[in-house]
Amino acid sequence: MYNWVSPRDISHYERFKSYHAAFYRYVEPISVTPFSSRALDRGLHAMFGATQRLGQTQASEEFSANRFVPTAPWAKDTIKAIADRAT
């Protein structure tokens, strides 16, 4: 949050173009491969849970996540869709 009485913060507004152009100068860019092992480790479980909660009426209630059945047909359909997408 910028403070209007701070000279350093005011200079960000006065010289916005140069500040904005250099904002990410020291941030190392990374590449993201959607189905790399690291991406799967970090996000597959969350994506699967969100897909189950948002895509199925029987899983959308507040306390229904603890009643998850991995052998249910709708869970298998989601797993197959993810595997198809990954290929």
Side-chain angles (χ1 to χ4, degrees):
M1 179 165 307
Y2 294 115
N3 184 349
W4 68 272
V5 296
S6 168
R8 182 184 66 98
D9 292 349
I10 291 173
S11 75
H12 292 318
Y13 287 109
E14 292 172 346
R15 295 175 185 84
F16 181 75
K17 284 187 177 186
S18 61
Y19 168 70
H20 192 329
F23 194 69
Y24 293 106
R25 180 178 292 163
Y26 300 106
V27 176
E28 183 178 336
I30 60 169
S31 65
V32 176
T33 306
F35 293 100
S36 67
S37 61
R38 187 68 183 132
L40 293 174
D41 289 344
R42 294 189 65 150
L44 184 60
H45 63 285
M47 188 271 302
F48 181 78
T51 304
Q52 293 299 296
R53 296 295 299 266
L54 296 172
Q56 306 299 326
T57 56
Q58 58 267 51
S60 61
E61 296 175 10
E62 185 176 353
F63 297 106
S64 62
N66 62 354
R67 295 189 303 264
F68 174 71
V69 179
T71 57
W74 48 275
K76 288 182 178 183
D77 291 343
T78 302
I79 293 169
K80 183 179 180 325
I82 293 169
D84 291 346
R85 173 70 172 96
T87 58

